Amino acid sequence: MAHSMGFITVLSLLAIVPLCLSGKTYGGGGYLYPQFYDHSCPKAQEIVKHSVAKAVAEDPRMAASLLRLHFHDCFVKGCDASVLLDSSGTIISEKRSNPNRDSARGFEVIDEIKAAIEKECPHTVSCADIMALAARDSTVLTGGPNWDVPLGRRDSRDASLSGSNNNIPAPNNTFQTILTKFKLQGLDIVDLVALSGSHTIGNARCTSFRQRLYNQAGNGKPDYTFDQSYAAHLRTHCPKSGGDQNLFFLDFVSPVKFDNSYFKNLLAYKGLLSSDEVLFTKNAESRELVKTYAYNQELFFQQFAKSMIKMGNISPLTGYKGEIRKYCRKVNAY
C-alpha cells in the first residue's frame, strides 16, 4: 500500500463477492463486531458511505488516500486513529513522519464524517472505526470487494512519530524487510501480497521510485528487473533531479479501477515501486501468489477482504481503553 493513491468516483462494477465475514474478531481486550453501533448509532455506516462517495466524486484520488490512511494508522500502535492527531502539548504528530509527510491525505474528509456523526450521535463512534469504514467504502466505490467491518475500536490518546518512521514499509525496502514489518503486526506473506494489491489504484511520487530508473544498486545503473521501455517512458517525467512530487499511476493499465491488473503488471516487470516488483522477483512463495491473483481476480478479492479485516484488528483499543474523540485531530480535554 503506498503512496498517494487515486480512485474513481463511482463504478457499477460490483463484481464484488460480499464476504459475510461478520463473526466477532478478538482484539486485545475486547471483541470487534460489525453490529457494534446498530443500537447506539444505527446511521453511522450510512453517513460514512455517503460522505466517502461525495468526497471521491469531488476528488477521485481520495478513496485511495483514505485506504492508505487506514493502513498507515494500523501499522503504528494498532488501529487507533493515532495518525489523525495533530502535534500539541506532548504529542508529536505522525503526519511529520517520512511515510506521511507531503503524501498522507484525507484528514479533512475524516473531519467531515466525524462532524456529521457527532451531530447524529455524540461521543459514540470512534475516529478509528470511521477510518476502517472509509477504507472499505473506498474499495467498494472503485469496483473492489465488499466486507463487513468489525467495529468497536476506541481512539488513542497519543501518537508515535518513531513508530510511523520505523514500522511502515518503505518503497525501497528489501522484500525481507517488508515481510518482517508485516510479521511484526501479526500479518503473513499472504496478507502482504494481497494488501499490496491495493496498488491497483492510486499514485506514487517520482521520489518514491527514482532510484529504480537511475541508480538502483548504487552503481549508476537502473533496476534490471524494470521493463526498460516502461522505464524509459517514466524517465520523461521523473528526471534524475527535480520533479520529486510528480505523480504516476501505480497501475497504469486501470489506474482508477480496483481489479487485479496490478499483479498482471508485476508479471510483465512493470510494477512501479521496488516494493511492488520484489513480490515477483525476490521470493518464490510471493511469486506464486502474484501469479495466482493475476490469473484469478475473485481469489484476490476474497483474500484482500480477509486481510483487510485482519489488518483492521491489529491491537485495537477496546472497552475502557483509549477514548472516543470529539475531534479526530486532538485528544479530549479532561
Side-chain angles (χ1 to χ4, degrees):
M1 307 195 105
H3 308 76
S4 298
M5 307 186 282
F7 286 61
I8 181 177
T9 52
V10 180
L11 285 177
S12 58
L13 291 151
L14 297 181
I16 298 168
V17 197
L19 300 176
C20 297
L21 301 167
S22 55
K24 294 181 179 181
T25 59
Y26 187 76
Y31 285 102
L32 303 180
Y33 52 98
Q35 302 81 16
F36 189 84
Y37 298 112
D38 280 6
H39 298 293
S40 61
C41 194
K43 293 183 180 179
Q45 295 204 40
E46 188 59 36
I47 291 172
V48 176
K49 182 179 179 180
H50 174 77
S51 298
V52 170
K54 176 176 176 289
V56 174
E58 294 172 353
D59 176 7
R61 284 181 60 206
M62 187 52 67
S65 299
L66 293 171
L67 181 55
R68 181 178 183 245
L69 207 54
H70 181 48
F71 169 64
H72 281 211
D73 181 49
C74 291
F75 266 59
V76 183
K77 299 168 62 275
C79 307
D80 60 2
S82 62
V83 72
L84 301 179
L85 290 171
D86 289 335
S87 295
S88 65
T90 60
I91 295 174
I92 302 176
S93 178
E94 293 170 19
K95 298 173 186 178
R96 297 184 180 183
S97 72
N98 291 328
N100 293 328
R101 190 174 59 248
D102 299 325
S103 65
R105 306 170 72 244
F107 301 108
E108 295 81 4
V109 176
I110 299 297
D111 290 341
E112 291 175 8
I113 296 172
K114 179 62 171 173
I117 288 182
E118 282 296 305
K119 186 176 180 180
E120 177 71 23
C121 29
H123 202 68
T124 302
V125 181
S126 68
C127 301
D129 278 344
I130 289 172
M131 293 176 72
L133 288 168
R136 187 274 310 276
D137 293 341
S138 296
T139 302
V140 174
L141 268 175
T142 54
N146 197 359
W147 64 92
D148 291 326
V149 179
L151 302 166
R153 302 167 190 80
R154 288 168 65 85
D155 301 322
S156 69
R157 295 191 178 102
D158 59 2
S160 176
L161 179 63
S162 62
S164 187
N165 276 321
N166 296 325
N167 297 353
I168 298 171
N172 300 330
N173 281 161
T174 64
F175 174 85
Q176 193 54 53
T177 296
I178 297 169
L179 181 59
T180 296
K181 289 181 177 182
F182 269 72
K183 286 184 174 179
L184 287 173
Q185 304 297 338
L187 303 174
D188 58 27
I189 193 169
V190 176
D191 301 313
L192 164 58
V193 178
L195 292 174
S196 294
S198 64
H199 288 183
T200 182
I201 31 86
N203 301 301
R205 296 175 295 158
C206 167
T207 186
S208 299
F209 62 90
R210 174 183 282 125
Q211 87 291 340
R212 295 194 71 200
L213 299 176
Y214 302 102
N215 192 27
Q216 175 70 352
N219 58 2
K221 296 182 179 180
D223 186 348
Y224 70 91
T225 67
F226 217 158
D227 177 84
Q228 292 308 300
S229 62
Y230 182 44
H233 169 71
L234 294 171
R235 288 189 194 97
T236 62
H237 297 289
C238 185
K240 281 188 177 181
S241 61
D244 287 5
Q245 304 302 318
N246 291 349
L247 293 175
F248 297 79
F249 292 128
L250 286 160
D251 168 11
F252 70 94
V253 174
S254 54
V256 293
K257 178 184 175 185
F258 197 104
D259 56 20
N260 67 336
S261 60
Y262 163 83
F263 297 105
K264 295 177 182 179
N265 293 340
L266 298 188
L267 297 185
Y269 300 98
K270 293 181 179 179
L272 185 62
L273 306 176
S274 176
S275 55
D276 293 327
E277 197 60 53
V278 293
L279 300 178
F280 185 62
T281 61
K282 298 298 183 181
N283 180 276
E285 187 176 355
S286 68
R287 182 185 180 93
E288 291 307 308
L289 287 166
V290 168
K291 290 180 180 179
T292 297
Y293 298 150
Y295 300 140
N296 192 323
Q297 179 169 281
E298 183 176 351
L299 278 179
F300 163 48
F301 277 15
Q302 290 175 348
Q303 185 57 53
F304 184 81
K306 291 177 183 177
S307 293
M308 283 294 290
I309 291 173
K310 189 174 176 182
M311 184 186 76
N313 199 45
I314 297 174
S315 305
L317 299 172
T318 56
Y320 293 100
K321 297 178 181 179
E323 64 181 16
I324 304 297
R325 290 183 211 143
K326 183 175 182 180
Y327 303 104
C328 290
R329 294 174 184 253
K330 62 182 181 179
V331 297
N332 295 336
Y334 291 97

